[in-house]
Amino acid sequence: MGRIFPFLLILILWGCNDASVNQDDLHYLNGYWEIAEVEFPDGSIKEYGMNPSVDFIKLKGEKGFRKKMKPKFNGTYDTSKDVEGFTVSNVNETIILRYSTELSEWEEKLMQLDSVSFSVTNQEGVTYKYKRFEPIKIPQ
């Protein structure tokens, strides 16, 4: 038992390691993203295959915007004039994205971020997982 206790203690401490997003990685948010899956508070998951629209995110400093885009086969995008502006703040070493439109305001906690994926959790506990959008290339 004496040998197992230190091993278990190390495992517990390692499992509690804070996996917060590094402020220096926020530049990875820039670009085109498609939703991969949504995880609901009850544990159920909705997976997405092909998406008819993608999100374009542009962040400069602590301000940015998100815009829905519809990719076309010729490499261009259709878009509306709707834009969701957001600000980035660091609250207790947690990155919070605060959105504001003419109709609504909401927050999302940035849970994970790297060059190919990111996830956010909203105030209702719904987690959205995104992957970097790769356009379909059709040979000419």
Side-chain angles (χ1 to χ4, degrees), residues 10-32:
I10 290 170
L11 267 178
I12 290 170
L13 291 174
W14 181 67
C16 294
N17 186 16
D18 183 14
S20 63
V21 175
N22 187 334
Q23 188 95 15
D24 295 334
D25 291 339
L26 288 176
H27 67 92
Y28 288 133
L29 282 175
N30 290 310
Y32 295 91

Side-chain angles (χ1 to χ4, degrees), residues 45-140:
I45 295 175
K46 178 175 179 167
E47 293 187 19
Y48 288 80
M50 289 285 290
N51 294 303
S53 66
V54 297
D55 288 347
F56 174 72
I57 298 176
K58 180 67 176 174
L59 177 65
K60 187 169 185 178
E62 294 181 353
K63 293 187 178 194
F65 68 89
R66 180 180 356 210
K67 190 172 186 70
K68 292 287 185 195
M69 312 287 280
K70 291 189 178 189
K72 295 167 46 174
F73 288 112
N74 66 1
T76 63
Y77 297 86
D78 283 335
T79 185
S80 69
K81 295 186 191 275
D82 297 330
V83 175
E84 299 171 344
F86 67 89
T87 58
V88 176
S89 59
N90 192 331
V91 179
N92 297 326
E93 298 187 24
T94 300
I95 305 293
I96 304 293
L97 306 178
R98 289 192 170 94
Y99 288 88
S100 179
T101 67
E102 291 179 7
L103 303 175
S104 183
E105 293 183 359
W106 69 97
E107 294 181 356
E108 294 177 332
K109 179 180 175 183
L110 190 57
M111 305 298 289
Q112 178 271 326
L113 173 65
D114 60 38
S115 64
V116 295
S117 66
F118 80 93
S119 65
V120 292
T121 300
N122 68 15
Q123 294 160 310
E124 290 80 33
V126 179
T127 299
Y128 297 87
K129 297 180 181 180
Y130 292 84
K131 62 182 178 181
R132 179 93 42 204
F133 175 68
E134 294 291 332
I136 297 171
K137 296 180 181 166
I138 298 176
Q140 307 245 343

